[in-house]
Amino acid sequence: MAKIKRNTIQRQLVIAAVRFLADHPTAEEVYDRIVMEYPDISKGTVYRNLNSLVECGLLGRVSVPSGADRYDHILSRHYHIKCSRCGKFMNVENIDYIQGLDEKVAAATHYKMNHHDIVFSGLCPDCAKAAEEEEAQLLGDDAN
Amino acid sequence: MAKIKRNTIQRQLVIAAVRFLADHPTAEEVYDRIVMEYPDISKGTVYRNLNSLVECGLLGRVSVPSGADRYDHILSRHYHIKCSRCGKFMNVENIDYIQGLDEKVAAATHYKMNHHDIVFSGLCPDCAKAAEEEEAQLLGDDAN
DNA sequence: ATCTGTGCAAAGTCTTTGCATTGCG
DNA sequence: CGCAATGCAAAGACTTTGCACAGAT
């Protein structure tokens, strides 16, 4: 049923790189990392392997609003948060996957549910501080 | 503070098109619709207006995994579901915005929360049926 | 020996941008 | 009038793909 996957060096390097980088690398970041030790790899191969590994469940893919997809070596379901100012992207710890949601939505939509993704959006502590300072600045001006 | 926005014909057409199309049109779909009655509009202008309208809160933007952004004339927060087979994208009715979540995440992450988006993924009724039939087919074969 | 995977580069999709010009306020 | 917005086309960011060849099974 599932196609046979050959265990190439490139495939192993891609898995290793995503695990090493840990923090949701993009395809570009994975490529950059692998090139260090295996300069001949091509970007196309990285993309092909990432897709293949996601398809067979060895990696997770996270779609990031206004940005490149990111790849995750953590396979357990979890949520993510993106800073709307600097773009920093990280896991949300402490919030477990909401189990009942999929069932509720299945009942409401008659879809055969697979899963759901939540991306939280807000200002990271640094950016929140910076934004406050900016605002203080503006209030000081008489400009509109 | 907020920049002055001129009330151009193009801007009005973009708002009107998103409202008319209603079902989360992409920028391309908005453009195609407007071209019918105003052939001189350029795609760049459509993108610029969509961005500007989202920024000033007159439209909502929905980031779709593996697909173009979609624009929403409904401003109240709601969730979306995408069929993982045919790509159909729609609102999830009957599930209200989960109010407490943002506060919980704020406490866990120390971010200044803005909002969250949930995209559900599953098979729409048609695709679920089609997928079942395919599977039956495969079981009938002796192929691996 | 077979046939998937690779490297390379070209192309595809979606979106933004530089610049001369238009037209709203 | 002045400056934001437009039209156009070029370019940018991200990803896929066609083709000939290499290498895993």
Side-chain angles (χ1 to χ4, degrees):
Chain A
M1 213 147 169
K3 276 174 202 156
I4 295 140
K5 301 291 181 186
R6 288 189 181 167
N7 186 26
T8 62
I9 293 156
Q10 292 87 343
R11 187 177 173 83
Q12 290 178 45
L13 286 169
V14 168
I15 299 177
V18 174
R19 291 197 178 139
F20 175 83
L21 293 167
D23 199 21
H24 314 95
T26 60
E28 183 85 29
E29 288 164 349
V30 171
Y31 171 77
D32 289 346
R33 165 79 197 167
I34 297 174
V35 159
M36 288 171 157
E37 59 189 79
Y38 191 93
D40 279 351
I41 200 166
S42 81
K43 211 169 271 191
T45 295
V46 171
Y47 274 101
R48 274 185 288 232
N49 274 302
L50 287 169
N51 284 336
S52 142
L53 289 163
V54 168
E55 205 179 333
C56 63
L58 287 173
L59 292 180
R61 190 204 314 270
V62 193
S63 291
V64 180
S66 328
D69 285 355
R70 292 172 172 277
Y71 296 87
D72 204 332
H73 67 119
I74 300 175
L75 295 173
S76 63
R77 293 255 170 242
H78 56 280
Y79 302 134
H80 298 94
I81 186 165
K82 185 187 183 188
C83 175
S84 49
R85 193 165 180 275
C86 71
K88 190 161 67 183
F89 192 82
M90 48 180 272
N91 292 332
V92 174
E93 319 280 0
N94 311 84
I95 306 281
D96 290 332
Y97 190 75
I98 306 169
Q99 290 296 346
L101 257 191
D102 293 335
E103 284 76 2
K104 251 193 213 171
V105 171
T109 62
H110 307 293
Y111 273 49
K112 186 174 173 193
M113 289 305 306
N114 181 236
H115 70 283
H116 66 263
D117 288 308
I118 310 187
V119 177
F120 292 89
S121 174
L123 295 174
C124 72
D126 289 348
C127 286
K129 198 179 158 195
E132 249 174 51
E133 279 162 16
E134 268 174 30
E135 201 164 327
Q137 191 97 31
L138 279 172
L139 288 173
D141 297 358
D142 48 310
N144 62 325
Chain B
M1 216 149 169
K3 276 175 202 156
I4 296 140
K5 301 291 181 186
R6 289 188 180 168
N7 186 29
T8 62
I9 292 156
Q10 292 87 343
R11 188 176 171 85
Q12 290 178 45
L13 286 168
V14 168
I15 300 177
V18 174
R19 293 198 176 138
F20 176 82
L21 294 167
D23 200 20
H24 312 96
T26 61
E28 183 85 28
E29 289 164 349
V30 171
Y31 171 77
D32 289 346
R33 166 75 197 169
I34 297 176
V35 159
M36 290 171 160
E37 58 189 80
Y38 191 92
D40 278 352
I41 200 167
S42 81
K43 212 171 269 190
T45 295
V46 171
Y47 274 100
R48 274 187 288 232
N49 274 303
L50 287 169
N51 284 336
S52 141
L53 289 163
V54 168
E55 205 180 330
C56 63
L58 287 173
L59 293 179
R61 189 204 315 273
V62 194
S63 291
V64 180
S66 328
D69 285 356
R70 292 174 171 275
Y71 296 87
D72 203 332
H73 67 118
I74 300 174
L75 295 173
S76 63
R77 294 255 170 241
H78 56 281
Y79 302 135
H80 298 94
I81 187 165
K82 186 186 182 188
C83 176
S84 49
R85 194 165 180 275
C86 70
K88 190 162 64 185
F89 192 84
M90 49 181 268
N91 293 332
V92 174
E93 317 281 1
N94 310 86
I95 307 282
D96 289 332
Y97 190 75
I98 305 170
Q99 290 297 343
L101 255 191
D102 292 334
E103 284 76 4
K104 253 194 210 168
V105 172
T109 61
H110 307 294
Y111 272 49
K112 185 174 173 195
M113 290 304 306
N114 180 235
H115 71 283
H116 65 262
D117 287 309
I118 309 185
V119 177
F120 293 89
S121 175
L123 294 173
C124 72
D126 288 348
C127 287
K129 198 178 159 195
E132 250 174 49
E133 279 163 16
E134 267 173 29
E135 203 166 324
Q137 191 97 30
L138 279 173
L139 287 174
D141 296 358
D142 47 312
N144 60 327

